[in-house]
Amino acid sequence: MIPHAVVALVLGALPLAAQERIPSHCIGLAEAPGLEVVYKAGFGDPLGPNRVRISFLYHAMFLIETPGGLSAVTDYTGHIGGGDHVPTVVTMNNSHSTHWTPNPDPRIPHVLEGWGTADFPTEHDVELGEMRVRNVHTDARGGWEGGIRRNGNSIFVFEAAGLCIGHLGHLHHEPDAAQYAAIGRLDVVMVPVDGGYTMNVATMMKVISRLRSSVVLPMHWFSGRSLDIFLEGMKDEFDIVELDQNSIELGLHDLPRRPTIIVLAPELLRGTTAPPRRPTQP
């Protein structure tokens, strides 16, 4: 079991200028050596070289920070807190209002919509220096009445600090062989575990096992019941760490030795009032 509180050494701020991205192994099968995960909450604090900070903001919205000052927000709803921070890139999926906004801040340099049409899927592959952001399309349900929205969801992959970080979005079905191949290996994966609005827990467990991720970050849970079911089902394959904080810092060479589920407490960036701990919308 990974310790719940490990003090991270801050190695000093790096220049905010764009830096070269460390090559990742998303499409390869390389295994990273595992040490201990280092936890350190603190939006905007200096990051050591070759590390990222991941903060769980709300529902399906995470913030990923790099040492050079790049930031990405997943399933961006338009409000992240933290004063006037403008992310470098945001991704969105429009299954529900809690996964996108029709009015993103016009100052954001890169706004990546995760949905397309059956004939015209939206493809993204953005190179930002320290970070690469790309997407893999999946289908989405047409609604409770049934049907399929072809290319209605995207799995976004963020490559930074040598890590492959995936966000499954509002995933409604298990990826097929071609989609798994396009995703590649994910060191860190953000997973919806609501058990119904997206996929049932058993199928989601199968997806996670197939992706061979070292760190799993549950999201998209409500009363906590589905989260508890998910944790109970995964405890034989994964260590489980529950933290009373919303952020962790990770590097390629300190991933856990045994695959680990880390439950973070959602909270908007400091200086703002956080939304309810348990979201009420899908």
Side-chain angles (χ1 to χ4, degrees):
M1 180 69 71
I2 297 175
H4 285 217
V6 181
V7 177
L9 295 177
V10 178
L11 300 180
L14 295 182
L16 294 182
Q19 300 180 33
E20 183 178 353
R21 177 170 55 84
I22 299 172
S24 63
H25 56 265
C26 298
I27 306 301
L29 299 176
E31 297 285 348
L35 300 175
E36 289 187 337
V37 175
V38 178
Y39 306 117
K40 173 66 177 179
F43 164 68
D45 286 348
L47 274 164
N50 307 334
R51 306 188 63 73
V52 297
R53 182 183 296 114
I54 301 174
S55 302
F56 186 18
L57 302 182
Y58 175 64
H59 195 48
M61 191 163 56
F62 289 81
L63 170 69
I64 305 169
E65 300 171 79
T66 69
L70 294 181
S71 64
V73 175
T74 69
D75 278 23
Y76 174 71
T77 64
H79 178 58
I80 63 175
D84 196 38
H85 178 69
V86 179
T88 310
V89 57
V90 299
T91 65
M92 301 190 296
N93 279 296
N94 71 344
S95 293
H96 299 96
S97 61
T98 48
H99 296 260
W100 76 301
T101 175
N103 301 301
D105 189 328
R107 297 174 298 168
I108 299 171
H110 304 278
V111 178
L112 309 184
E113 297 177 348
W115 60 91
T117 66
D119 296 325
F120 299 101
T122 301
E123 304 291 346
H124 300 291
D125 193 343
V126 181
E127 181 61 69
L128 300 172
E130 276 191 304
M131 180 185 293
R132 176 191 181 193
V133 185
R134 58 186 177 87
N135 72 316
V136 177
H137 273 288
T138 67
D139 295 336
R141 287 190 297 268
W144 294 116
E145 67 278 3
I148 297 292
R149 292 172 56 213
R150 294 282 296 166
N151 302 315
N153 176 71
S154 278
I155 295 170
F156 280 95
V157 180
F158 306 82
E159 301 179 25
L163 292 168
C164 303
I165 303 166
H167 186 285
L168 299 187
H170 215 270
L171 186 62
H172 288 164
H173 66 85
E174 183 181 5
D176 60 26
Q179 289 165 331
Y180 272 126
I183 296 166
R185 174 186 170 86
L186 297 179
D187 299 298
V188 182
V189 63
M190 303 154 188
V191 179
V193 297
D194 57 87
Y197 291 108
T198 54
M199 284 169 35
N200 64 69
V201 173
T203 305
M204 192 60 73
M205 292 175 186
K206 182 179 178 182
V207 172
I208 295 168
S209 297
R210 176 74 178 265
L211 292 173
R212 307 186 306 282
S213 300
S214 296
V215 174
V216 175
L217 302 176
M219 64 175 184
H220 208 264
W221 45 271
F222 303 94
S223 67
R225 174 61 177 161
S226 62
L227 176 62
D228 291 341
I229 293 172
F230 173 76
L231 296 178
E232 178 66 23
M234 299 297 287
K235 68 181 183 181
D236 291 338
E237 296 183 51
F238 287 76
D239 284 339
I240 296 173
V241 175
E242 298 191 50
L243 298 176
D244 189 23
Q245 61 191 53
N246 79 326
S247 297
I248 56 171
E249 292 183 9
L250 293 169
L252 179 62
H253 297 295
D254 59 20
L255 293 172
R257 295 183 183 277
R258 186 168 187 253
T260 301
I261 297 169
I262 300 177
V263 181
L264 297 174
E267 183 178 359
L268 294 178
L269 299 185
R270 62 188 176 216
T272 62
T273 300
R277 182 182 177 92
R278 294 174 176 175
T280 57
Q281 297 185 52

